[in-house]
Amino acid sequence: MTEQPIYSDQFSARKVAVLIPTYNNAGTLKHVLEDVMRYTHHVIVVNDGSTDNTAAILDEFPHIQRVEYVPNKGKGIALRRGFKYAVQQSYDYVITMDADGQHFASDLPVMLEKVITHPKSIVIGARNLQQENMPGKNTFANKFSNFWFYVETGLKMPDTQSGYRLYPVYAMKGMHFWCTKYEFEIEVMVRSAWKGIGIDSAPVKVYYPPADERVSHFRPLRDFSRISVLNTVLVLITFLYIKPRDFIRYLFKKESWKSIWNDHILNRNESNAKKATAIGLGIFLGIVPIWGFQLLSAYLLAARFKLNKALVLIACNISVPPMIPFIIFASFVTGKLWMKNGSMTINFSKQLNMETVKMNLEQYLYGSITLSIVAGLLVGLIVYALLSIFRNDPVKQDQPI
């Protein structure tokens, strides 16, 4: 290992290290390290409590930097400790590779180039999921993961499960993570996207040995269950906090209103009826008493009926905090129409609280459901009338004479 690695200067100048977590990969680790060391000596290996002869193999490579501990704690902890160590050593980026021989060091220059073109992005090495020996369960799991990543971030990625990645650890300082196992690689992508760190991809090669030669520490039942629980939590956070937060930020930008008008209101690809329906549906979902699930329901229904998601979500935010007292008051007033006996007349300023809602739940539910239907229909009709007056309907215009 006396030869100068061919990309040594680039790794040094851009403050990049290759990070390899390993647990009992003695059969493949030496070849992986030899392959990587041809490109750079900036290599960090995290020995995640291996019980084979991993330590002896690492002794053969004096240039590498080692993080070691016992017992085994899982890939998530290994990556987190590797990130921390890299920051301590003044690296700005790490490129993670698996130690099982599936990744090729020849793809390191591709990742290195992304440091220049996407300096504040996590870059995922996108594999060819149709190649020979690719396990069928991996293809299904990847599609499953890609779908939920899109729901949680609005970003479409071809391969969200690849372990070949570029991480801008300088931009991730101060982030605290929850996960310790394989699901960490999902968490870090989603929460980084929420923070404003970009997510990109680059094509990489991958080698999958025949089934009888394959070594994997992934435990399908247990690890898939952990991933499912994580996605459930992330989806709830997405619709209860992230999307409302992003929406409020969006509304406070001057250029956002131009975008709403030009891209959504004046968009010629949608009829006046569909635009009015989208806004009416949003109003209905913003008032109907499905607390905490308005945005999730709005998103799913807009997708199901192929309505303008932006218009549905914007209208759904009629239930933002300043409007909530007015909606509760109007719901109680409307609910009196359905109550033969025992209806309550509330004071707008003094009795608008959750305790009042609990004590008079039936009146509130009847009223809020009625109000949501009426308001949704009324606003939809008003929007349709205004659009018909001030905007030519492209659907009607495009019909043959």
Side-chain angles (χ1 to χ4, degrees):
M1 291 297 170
T2 57
E3 294 183 10
Q4 179 75 358
I6 55 179
Y7 280 84
S8 179
D9 292 342
Q10 290 93 324
F11 273 86
S12 297
R14 300 170 191 174
K15 297 182 179 180
V16 184
V18 177
L19 174 62
I20 304 174
T22 184
Y23 172 61
N24 288 351
N25 295 117
T28 54
L29 180 60
K30 183 174 181 178
H31 172 73
V32 170
L33 291 175
E34 289 174 342
D35 201 19
V36 171
M37 297 289 275
R38 292 190 298 109
Y39 290 83
T40 180
H41 282 169
H42 293 281
V43 181
I44 302 169
V45 176
V46 181
N47 183 2
D48 183 23
S50 298
T51 56
D52 57 7
N53 63 328
T54 290
I57 293 172
L58 295 179
D59 290 339
E60 300 178 28
F61 297 86
H63 288 99
I64 67 170
Q65 303 169 72
R66 296 162 65 165
V67 177
E68 299 178 276
Y69 51 84
V70 290
N72 171 259
K73 294 184 179 294
K75 189 176 184 181
I77 291 293
L79 289 171
R80 287 162 58 178
R81 293 193 178 184
F83 292 169
K84 183 178 180 180
Y85 179 85
V87 170
Q88 291 172 345
Q89 302 305 309
S90 299
Y91 289 109
D92 287 340
Y93 302 88
V94 295
I95 300 172
T96 60
M97 294 178 62
D98 292 342
D100 56 7
Q102 293 183 8
H103 300 152
F104 291 86
S106 58
D107 285 317
L108 286 172
V110 175
M111 292 297 199
L112 201 57
E113 185 65 24
K114 287 289 186 176
V115 173
I116 298 176
T117 59
H118 294 75
K120 194 183 176 182
S121 294
I122 295 175
V123 180
I124 314 298
R127 304 162 292 176
N128 177 6
L129 299 178
Q130 306 303 320
Q131 72 179 61
E132 185 180 3
N133 292 330
M134 169 65 74
K137 63 183 180 182
N138 284 28
T139 304
F140 167 77
N142 198 59
K143 290 179 179 178
F144 179 86
S145 180
N146 293 350
F147 169 77
W148 287 113
F149 180 73
Y150 174 69
V151 171
E152 292 151 5
T153 65
L155 303 174
K156 290 185 177 181
M157 295 294 294
D159 185 1
T160 54
Q161 290 199 315
S162 172
Y164 207 153
R165 303 182 177 192
L166 168 70
Y167 287 99
V169 289
Y170 79 93
M172 298 162 60
K173 291 179 183 178
M175 293 184 69
H176 300 282
F177 298 100
W178 316 314
C179 299
T180 62
K181 308 293 183 183
Y182 284 97
E183 71 276 10
F184 169 78
E185 291 182 301
I186 297 172
E187 180 197 0
V188 69
M189 281 196 305
V190 173
R191 295 185 60 199
S192 294
W194 289 350
K195 189 181 178 183
I197 295 172
I199 309 292
D200 192 36
S201 65
V204 298
K205 300 178 291 293
V206 64
Y207 169 68
Y208 275 99
D212 57 343
E213 299 178 14
R214 198 172 298 142
V215 177
S216 175
H217 302 298
F218 186 84
R219 300 159 297 179
L221 180 60
R222 185 177 299 182
D223 288 321
F224 193 75
S225 297
R226 294 170 71 98
I227 290 171
S228 297
V229 170
L230 173 64
N231 277 317
T232 300
V233 172
L234 292 176
V235 167
L236 288 174
I237 294 174
T238 296
F239 287 98
L240 295 179
Y241 172 68
I242 297 298
K243 286 192 178 295
R245 179 204 68 180
D246 292 346
F247 176 76
I248 292 171
R249 290 177 178 176
Y250 177 78
L251 290 183
F252 276 92
K253 295 179 181 178
K254 184 178 180 180
E255 59 271 19
S256 297
W257 292 100
K258 290 183 179 179
S259 174
I260 293 172
W261 181 256
N262 293 323
D263 298 339
H264 300 290
I265 300 297
L266 299 182
N267 188 338
R268 284 186 51 82
N269 295 324
E270 295 172 329
S271 68
N272 292 341
K274 290 202 76 171
K275 290 183 184 297
T277 301
I279 294 173
L281 177 63
I283 295 293
F284 166 78
L285 292 171
I287 298 174
V288 75
I290 48 174
W291 309 289
F293 294 94
Q294 284 100 336
L295 285 177
L296 175 59
S297 301
Y299 184 89
L300 294 176
L301 288 172
R304 172 63 180 83
F305 295 107
K306 297 181 180 180
L307 297 173
N308 188 311
K309 296 184 183 69
L311 293 181
V312 175
L313 291 172
I314 289 169
C316 185
N317 278 273
I318 190 175
S319 58
V320 292
M323 292 295 295
I324 290 175
F326 296 96
I327 292 174
I328 293 177
F329 178 75
S331 296
F332 270 106
V333 172
T334 307
K336 289 184 66 175
L337 301 174
W338 297 99
M339 304 296 293
K340 293 182 179 180
N341 298 303
S343 64
M344 179 187 182
T345 301
I346 65 171
N347 183 290
F348 181 81
S349 61
K350 295 181 179 180
Q351 295 175 300
L352 288 175
N353 53 57
M354 290 308 298
E355 193 61 34
T356 302
V357 172
K358 291 177 183 178
M359 292 174 61
N360 302 274
L361 186 61
E362 186 178 4
Q363 181 177 341
Y364 171 74
L365 290 177
Y366 283 145
S368 59
I369 292 171
T370 304
L371 179 65
S372 63
I373 294 172
V374 172
L377 289 173
L378 184 61
V379 171
L381 289 172
I382 292 172
V383 170
Y384 179 75
L386 292 174
L387 289 173
S388 298
I389 295 171
F390 296 106
R391 174 181 180 264
N392 292 326
D393 194 328
V395 173
K396 292 183 178 179
Q397 281 188 331
D398 293 340
Q399 289 178 349
I401 298 175

